[in-house]
Amino acid sequence: MQLKNKTMLITGASSGIGAATAKAAAREGARVLLLARTQAKLEKVAAEIQARGGEARVWPVDVSQPEQVRQVARQITDEAGAPDIIFNNAGAGRWLFTEETEMGEAAEMMAVPYLAAFYVTQAFLPAMLRRNSGLILNMSSVAAYLPWPGATAYAAARWAMRGFTEALRADLHGTNVRAALIVFAKVQSDFWAHNPGSEERVPGAQAMIPVITTEQAAAAVVRGIKRDRRVIMTPFMLRVVLGMDALFPGPTRWLLNNTGAKRPLNQQKGSLGVDKA
Ligand SMILES: NC(=O)c1ccc[n+]([C@@H]2O[C@H](COP(=O)([O-])OP(=O)(O)OC[C@H]3O[C@@H](n4cnc5c(N)ncnc54)[C@H](OP(=O)(O)O)[C@@H]3O)[C@@H](O)[C@H]2O)c1
């Protein structure tokens, strides 16, 4: 799909990959609708796009809240029309071992990205189906193929994004509305500052895959849209590693587990780390 004169809605557009993609899509001539919770950050991204002659509008919303999503979708439809492209990108989540993860935090990690992607998609899908065109892009991660220790709820939510995309594709069979999955390994973004303690848990094996910038991530998304890709995956070494995993899952899993985060010593070998009196 070409981006010129298309309306592209991007969640998580106030920062990182979402903000970079908004700028890249606007340079291709798309009208971008920027969604996230922090209005000031959204306005900064929009101002940058407008200063270069692009079209951008901001819609502050917490996409984990279904009622807020319903309301903002109504406003967007009235004021800007239903989008041609939805990029479900908003996401957060600290990398934690299972027993370190508070129940509420596990639920929040499922709420954004997965439930948020479901709510946003559902809000605009009837209009896309009536028009019989549209593209839904879902941000996942290499964690949805090859999880590593110490990021259980994070990885599970990215598998949910992968599952949602596959199920959506089946669901949309026979229509002209498409769904695509986006898969990156490490991207240098504010994600690491927003989710403290996670960067320290990147497995050593990540060194096989070059870290990309948010601009490189955005360029891959734009290229993938223009080439109608079902899976947008970059850099090339990520494909190589996932190919190796498909052929030899034992060694790849061994490498990730052995270069990944370790529980604190007092919690290994069955001890729960409880001090003995
Ligand atoms: N960085 C990486 O290495 C990497 C790799 C693969 C996949 N990803 C995925 O890519 C996505 C974007 O990550 P990033 O690196 O760009 O991180 P980021 O800089 O932390 O951006 C996250 C974005 O999500 C928004 N967001 C979070 N919770 C929200 C909510 N409840 N409602 C609305 N917006 C919300 C944030 O905006 P507000 O705080 O203003 O709401 C922000 O714009 C995430 O889903 C992440 O898991 C990242």
Side-chain angles (χ1 to χ4, degrees), residues 18 31 37 43 56 58 62 71 85 116 133 161 167 175 198 208 241 250 266 276:
R31 287 180 292 272
R37 289 165 303 184
E43 278 169 358
V58 310
D62 181 341
Q71 262 182 30
I85 305 166
S133 74
M161 290 298 273
T175 78
S198 303
M208 290 190 293
V241 169
N266 65 348
K276 290 194 179 86

Side-chain angles (χ1 to χ4, degrees), residues 38-198:
T38 320
Q39 181 156 6
K41 285 183 168 180
L42 287 174
E43 278 169 358
K44 197 159 170 258
V45 177
E48 216 177 296
I49 292 170
Q50 288 154 358
R52 289 166 183 253
E55 273 188 69
R57 292 189 62 180
V58 310
W59 307 88
V61 58
D62 181 341
V63 287
S64 70
Q65 302 301 316
E67 195 41 51
Q68 286 193 32
V69 172
R70 254 193 296 273
Q71 262 182 30
V72 87
R74 266 197 299 270
Q75 284 172 15
I76 291 173
T77 308
D78 289 349
E79 295 177 32
D84 300 288
I85 305 166
I86 295 174
F87 181 14
N88 288 311
N89 163 75
R94 294 192 298 149
W95 294 8
L96 298 165
F97 283 100
T98 312
E99 72 280 10
E100 292 173 335
T101 314
E102 298 288 340
M103 301 295 185
E105 194 164 350
E108 279 169 19
M109 282 193 239
M110 216 44 156
V112 186
Y114 166 58
L115 287 173
F118 195 99
Y119 301 150
V120 173
T121 302
Q122 199 206 45
F124 293 106
L125 195 55
M128 285 182 162
L129 288 170
R130 273 195 301 276
R131 209 165 45 198
N132 199 27
S133 74
L135 172 64
I136 295 148
L137 299 166
N138 292 325
M139 172 60 86
S140 182
S141 157
V142 62
Y145 291 81
L146 263 181
W148 49 85
T152 327
Y154 178 87
R158 270 67 198 167
W159 280 76
M161 290 298 273
R162 183 177 168 199
F164 176 46
T165 312
E166 289 289 333
L168 201 52
R169 250 185 229 137
D171 209 32
L172 294 171
H173 178 73
T175 78
N176 204 26
V177 181
R178 308 256 178 266
L181 186 70
I182 303 183
V183 186
F184 297 138
K186 188 175 179 192
V187 182
Q188 202 53 58
S189 76
D190 287 342
F191 179 88
W192 308 104
H194 295 157
N195 299 281
S198 303

